[in-house]
Structure formats: structure tokens, C-alpha cells
Amino acid sequence: MHAWEAIQHSVDYIEENIQTEMTIDELAKVSYLSVFYFQKLFSRLVGKTVKEYIKARRVANAKSELKTSNKRIADIAMDFGFNSHEVFTKNFKEIYGITPETYRKNEVVLTDFLKPELSIDYTLVDEGVPLLVNDLVLEIYQQKIEVPEYYTGVSKQIDASEMNKVGVNTLVELWDQFQQERATIENLLPEGLVLDYFTMDALPGKVQYFVGGQSTKEGFKHFTQCIIEPGNYYVCSYEAEDFDYLVSDGLYKANTYFFETWLPKHGIGMEDMAPFLIQKYLNVTDDPKIEIWIRPVNQLVTTHE
């Protein structure tokens, strides 16, 4: 058994028993490891200590209860192993930066520390070979854009740290703004592609974030236009049966695999400037699918039939 497989057993076990008490000894046995090596490997592969991870996942699971149930916050806290309302509130605010009461009363989107799927870091598929990860089907291939593609929408500058930060998801605010304003954009293709992209800004630590819909070349006054130039791209396409899963867990897993595993191991670099990441949202209702596009700086690898 590989080390990542042993730790994945414990990660799966924690999720299945998230509302019950678990000990380090119990989790080490599930992983078929000594307590010493279990804790050492867990921290290395997951990025948190066992106790920190369990706390983060309990808070994340309790968070959904705040919106989907009418239970008292104190009762939700007890359900997920927190001794009191106060302890739960302290841990919730430590992770998300706001209190459970504030989250329950307001329309705010929070980004979680997600349950990892460690197998995705240790699997290297060929182009055009689908990879199945839990409820996600992921595939990587090359694509050529022959003519410019035009997208019209909204844009804002954000701190680069906001992109993967656990806590209040500020990127969702731009999505909401686009959805509210897109009705005023004439000639926007109602069934066309919707994309978002990130570009590195001239200011250190800043990123320009854009959300828009496929449109005509002319663009529209008071809105930002993004042009995807012709060229060769690498595409990481992934799909799932559930759109919410696709844009949360799925997006995190696909990005992790594409940028941290697949591209580096194939020796493929990408542009630092616009656009270095394009996410195309296709068929978001019946057959949810997202494509992540990057433009490589080096020659594309020739694929063989």
C-alpha cells in the first residue's frame, strides 16, 4: 500500500464519522500505520495536523447545517463534537473570519478546506484518457482556437491570496454582479459560454479577475471585454452530475491536478500574462462541465494516435 492510500483511508473514515469522537490511535489503525508515522504522513500529505483537519471538516459540515436547518446553533455545535456554542463560534470565526450567527443571517459564500482526494496527486494519465476521481470525470487534451472569441462582462482587481483562501469567497461577488447585469447586455448569447479568467497585474500580489458571457466583437458600453486570442491551448475538461460539486470540490481537484501534477510532470509551462487561466462553464444545468484552458509558453507535445 502506498503512503497516500493509507492516509486516504483515514481521510475517508473521518468524513464518514465526522459527528463522532475519533482518536489518533483509531485513525492510525484504519490506516495500518503506527501512530508516529500516521501523524507524520498525515501532516505532510494533507497539509494540516490530524486535529486541525478534523476541526476544519467538522466546522465545514456544521456550516451547511446553519443554512439548511432551523436547529439552534448550540445544538448544531453539539452534533459536530463542539462542547458549547462558544467553542464552536470561536473555531468558526478562526477559520472563516465571521461568526456562525453572521453567516446564518447573511447571504455570504464561504470557501472551505475541502476533503482531499490524494490519488489525484499520484496519477498521471495520457492526453485523451479520462481520469475518474470519486464523482468527477477529468480529461486533458489539446485544442486550437482558429478565430478570436469575445466575452463581455465585469472585472475587478483582487489580492492574489484571495484565489485559494479559506473563508469569505470574494470572487463569488463578481459572479453575482455579472448575473445581475447580464440582462442589460444586449446581444449576449443567452445559451453561450460563460467564462472567468485571471491575469497577473503589474502590481505585486494583485490579480485581475473577469467574469463574462460570449458576445459579439463590438462589446458593450460600461462593460469589460475579454478577447481569447487564436492559438494552441491545453484544456483540462471535467464534469460531474452536480453543478455545486463541480464548482467547489471539482474545481479545486481539477486545478490541483492540472497545475500541480500534470503540467509540471510533462514539462509544460504557461503564460504569466492574460489569460493564464480560463474557465469555461458549459451546460451548467443538464450536463455540468467546466474546461480550464491555458496557453503554453513552450511547444505543444505532439500526440500520437
Side-chain angles (χ1 to χ4, degrees), residues 149-177:
E149 293 183 0
Y150 300 92
Y151 295 83
T152 299
V154 292
S155 180
K156 69 182 293 187
Q157 189 178 94
I158 61 171
D159 291 332
S161 60
E162 295 291 329
M163 292 175 61
N164 298 305
K165 181 180 177 181
V166 174
V168 177
N169 192 328
T170 57
L171 303 184
V172 173
E173 296 175 0
L174 199 64
W175 268 95
D176 291 342
Q177 180 185 343

Side-chain angles (χ1 to χ4, degrees), residues 134-301:
N134 282 352
D135 297 323
L136 193 72
V137 178
L138 183 151
E139 188 173 349
I140 296 172
Y141 52 88
Q142 298 175 29
Q143 187 74 28
K144 185 174 183 179
I145 293 181
E146 300 286 355
V147 296
E149 293 183 0
Y150 300 92
Y151 295 83
T152 299
V154 292
S155 180
K156 69 182 293 187
Q157 189 178 94
I158 61 171
D159 291 332
S161 60
E162 295 291 329
M163 292 175 61
N164 298 305
K165 181 180 177 181
V166 174
V168 177
N169 192 328
T170 57
L171 303 184
V172 173
E173 296 175 0
L174 199 64
W175 268 95
D176 291 342
Q177 180 185 343
F178 169 66
Q179 295 299 341
Q180 292 169 7
E181 297 184 4
R182 68 181 299 180
T184 67
I185 306 176
E186 296 178 357
N187 302 320
L188 197 76
L189 302 181
E191 301 301 325
L193 300 176
V194 175
L195 69 73
D196 61 359
Y197 79 86
F198 301 90
T199 67
M200 301 304 292
D201 192 80
L203 297 176
K206 297 292 184 180
V207 169
Q208 196 70 26
Y209 182 53
F210 169 89
V211 178
Q214 192 173 23
S215 66
T216 61
K217 179 179 179 180
E218 289 74 20
F220 306 95
K221 193 175 181 181
H222 306 307
F223 291 91
T224 302
Q225 186 168 66
C226 165
I227 304 173
I228 307 301
E229 299 291 349
N232 296 313
Y233 292 80
Y234 268 109
V235 180
C236 177
S237 169
Y238 67 101
E239 52 190 302
E241 293 182 2
D242 179 74
F243 182 69
D244 289 337
Y245 174 80
L246 194 74
V247 297
S248 57
D249 292 49
L251 181 57
Y252 170 78
K253 292 173 182 176
N255 274 321
T256 299
Y257 181 72
F258 194 36
F259 292 105
E260 298 181 15
T261 299
W262 200 91
L263 289 172
K265 288 188 176 180
H266 282 81
I268 300 169
M270 62 180 182
E271 292 182 338
D272 290 330
M273 300 304 288
F276 80 82
L277 170 60
I278 311 167
Q279 293 165 184
K280 293 188 176 183
Y281 295 79
L282 309 125
N283 306 321
V284 295
T285 53
D286 298 330
D287 185 20
K289 182 179 180 182
I290 294 179
E291 295 175 350
I292 304 170
W293 291 56
I294 66 105
R295 199 172 191 174
V297 294
N298 47 344
Q299 286 291 325
L300 294 180
V301 178

Side-chain angles (χ1 to χ4, degrees), residues 119-126 131 257 261-263 265-266:
S119 64
I120 201 168
D121 296 325
Y122 298 93
T123 304
L124 196 63
V125 297
D126 295 326
L131 173 64
Y257 181 72
T261 299
W262 200 91
L263 289 172
K265 288 188 176 180
H266 282 81

